[in-house]
Amino acid sequence: MLSMPHLNETAVISDIDPFSREFLADPYPYHEQLRDLGPVVRLARYDVWATARYEQVSAILNDWQNFGSGGGVGLANFHTEGNWRPPSLLLETDPPTHTRARTVMNRVLLPKNLRDLRDGFYRDAVRMVDRALELGTFDAVAELSQPYPLKVFPDAVGIAADERETLLPYGNMVFNTMGPKNDLYQAALAPVDKVLPWVMQRCARGALRPGSLGAEVYKHADSGDITEAEAALLVRSFLSAGIDTTVHALGNALLCFAENPGEWQKLRQDPSKVRQAFDEVMRFEPAFQCYFRTTTRETEFSGTAIGSQEKIYISIAAANRDPRRWEAPERFDISRKTAGHVGFGTGIHGCVGQMIARMEIEALLTAMLERVAAIELAGKPERLMHNTLRAVSKLPVRMTRLH
Ligand code: OVM
């Protein structure tokens, strides 16, 4: 099979550039083109494979044996070129190394370790929502979607309160450098010499509050499950994966409700649907839109022969709006059945932090549901230009307080 060259005659070559300004500004028409070109497409611009259909995206994410993460989950192949940081022990590894790291993180993030965080998350949410409501009209990114996760999540991880804003250029670096070495990549990487040492200092055992999630990771170093250096890397994964994702998921949630006021009213009528509503945000507008896998060997995929050590671009956002899978995918509808969306990924690398992310977003939305009668846009939202994240950088809104 693998040596049959005719297999590749069916693979469509496209000149779509998923990291061009035009694509990033409005990806959805391009997603449709990519999906319609075929189950797997060759991107001429980067000489990589791409898939945008739900069936293929979920198949690849559930096949770590053929589609590995050890080569990194960006465009660059770590096996042939270096990277600006030591690889993540979690994101950028395959079994058995991944399994060992994931088992530790699964234990640290067990519901019993997260339960006690809920009240604090809710108190901070109430405080920030009340402050925003006093403003009435405000930038929801500056007042809510940035400061809220930046307060509650690092508190939970256990790092000191000073200089936390450094986590924003760090996250920007982590996610933008998954793209090609364009201007977005270069600008994000510029502060690396200042930012990366700061992050690693904050991951040290002695820098973490006793009883925190970070300290829990180090307990697994004490028991010999992982080394001290591996514990630091796993704490780094919290700081890498836990800020931008939640900041932008919250921004996207607020944008969805500001643009679909009827859905906010629907949710107000039944606030117990808040979890379901957030899943629809994650389907409709996943913050982490795309990433890559690297083939570990020659493989046949959807009728196309793919060589070993080849990169494949995976569009989460396109899969989540594939009309082959979803009814009226362009409609933001908090009542729909969202099960199966890939906004948190799927398979062995599926988001390990989703419980804590959900707790954060649900606490903030719940505080809002108790206080906010209506949300409306008070100006034009500004889009963040970013290689892999879809988000707003500015979201002018007016929120009306419930009496
Ligand atoms: C990590 C990491 C970084 C970015 C994202 C992510 C979505 C993990 O360093 O482990 O998961």
Side-chain angles (χ1 to χ4, degrees):
M1 275 291 270
L2 294 173
S3 54
M4 291 167 81
H6 73 265
L7 274 170
N8 266 339
E9 286 169 22
T10 56
V12 176
I13 301 173
S14 168
D15 57 13
I16 290 176
D17 176 358
F19 303 102
S20 68
R21 290 280 159 162
E22 298 71 34
F23 188 109
L24 298 176
D26 185 14
Y28 294 108
Y30 293 106
H31 289 165
E32 183 177 5
Q33 288 181 42
L34 284 175
R35 281 189 306 256
D36 290 348
L37 282 171
V40 55
V41 177
R42 186 82 179 161
L43 299 181
R45 176 76 176 75
Y46 302 105
D47 257 328
V48 296
W49 300 98
T51 185
R53 290 190 190 173
Y54 180 86
E55 184 188 333
Q56 279 72 26
V57 165
S58 76
I60 288 174
L61 294 180
N62 283 296
D63 182 4
W64 60 265
Q65 290 93 337
N66 284 304
F67 298 95
S69 292
V73 303
L75 177 62
N77 187 346
F78 292 178
H79 294 130
T80 52
E81 41 189 311
N83 194 32
W84 57 273
R85 62 170 198 164
S88 164
L89 195 64
L90 197 62
L91 180 76
E92 296 156 344
T93 53
D94 297 309
T97 305
H98 171 265
T99 314
R100 206 158 51 78
R102 176 72 184 219
T103 302
V104 169
M105 291 301 252
N106 283 343
R107 299 233 169 102
V108 170
L109 291 165
L110 241 30
K112 71 170 169 64
N113 292 336
L114 302 185
R115 226 170 15 221
D116 294 344
L117 296 170
R118 197 176 294 270
D119 291 349
F121 284 10
Y122 177 72
R123 270 196 305 276
D124 282 322
V126 166
R127 184 169 53 76
M128 286 195 196
V129 170
D130 278 340
R131 196 181 59 192
L133 276 168
E134 274 168 34
L135 299 170
T137 301
F138 58 91
D139 174 10
V141 173
E143 300 299 328
L144 294 175
S145 69
Q146 273 195 357
Y148 178 67
L150 213 43
K151 166 79 171 69
V152 299
F153 185 69
D155 278 357
V157 173
I159 69 170
D162 64 304
E163 296 180 13
R164 280 185 183 176
E165 61 284 355
T166 310
L167 293 168
L168 294 172
Y170 177 62
N172 188 38
M173 200 171 289
V174 167
F175 287 96
N176 251 323
T177 62
M178 292 178 191
K181 295 185 172 69
N182 56 15
D183 53 340
L184 295 169
Y185 180 115
Q186 302 302 349
L189 192 58
V192 64
D193 292 341
K194 190 188 69 153
V195 166
L196 190 57
W198 182 92
V199 168
M200 289 321 297
Q201 280 165 20
R202 301 287 152 139
C203 296
R205 183 192 283 268
L208 297 161
R209 173 176 56 79
S212 64
L213 297 178
E216 284 296 311
V217 172
Y218 275 94
K219 283 192 187 166
H220 290 269
D222 296 334
S223 65
D225 297 337
I226 49 173
T227 68
E228 194 83 0
E230 288 174 334
L233 272 182
L234 289 182
V235 175
R236 194 191 71 174
S237 280
F238 277 138
L239 302 183
S240 306
I243 304 288
D244 290 49
T245 47
T246 48
V247 164
H248 299 315
L250 189 50
N252 289 346
L254 297 176
L255 177 67
C256 284
F257 285 115
E259 288 187 331
N260 299 274
E263 297 305 292
W264 182 253
Q265 296 313 323
K266 228 156 85 179
L267 187 54
R268 277 188 58 209
Q269 277 154 33
D270 187 359
S272 74
K273 292 210 161 68
V274 63
R275 181 191 164 99
Q276 163 66 23
F278 178 54
D279 269 312
E280 174 64 351
V281 172
M282 290 298 290
R283 180 199 70 83
F284 184 78
E285 193 87 302
F288 194 13
Q289 295 245 302
C290 58
Y291 33 88
F292 291 80
R293 291 292 187 261
T294 314
T295 52
T296 57
R297 52 174 97 120
E298 287 187 346
T299 182
E300 190 269 326
F301 182 71
S302 289
T304 299
I306 300 185
S308 182
Q309 290 301 310
E310 298 221 30
K311 283 278 173 175
I312 182 160
Y313 169 87
I314 297 161
S315 179
I316 295 301
N320 274 355
R321 293 195 189 192
D322 184 352
R324 294 160 192 79
R325 169 63 177 77
W326 308 93
E327 211 181 295
E330 312 292 320
R331 195 186 324 134
F332 175 70
D333 174 6
I334 64 163
S335 309
R336 80 160 69 235
K337 289 197 180 83
T338 57
H341 79 74
V342 284
F344 286 111
T346 179
I348 64 165
H349 287 277
C351 181
V352 71
Q354 66 178 284
M355 281 308 157
I356 191 164
R358 287 175 185 280
M359 280 172 59
E360 290 176 52
I361 309 287
E362 284 172 28
L364 198 283
L365 291 179
T366 300
M368 278 178 57
L369 285 163
E370 294 162 352
R371 287 164 182 78
V372 180
I375 316 168
E376 56 187 333
L377 286 177
K380 201 172 147 41
E382 281 175 24
R383 283 256 155 231
L384 184 72
M385 271 295 160
H386 196 293
N387 279 329
T388 60
L389 300 175
R390 181 157 169 86
V392 281
S393 52
K394 198 170 183 183
L395 181 57
V397 294
R398 191 174 308 104
M399 290 194 190
T400 319
R401 185 182 269 282
L402 258 168
H403 314 283

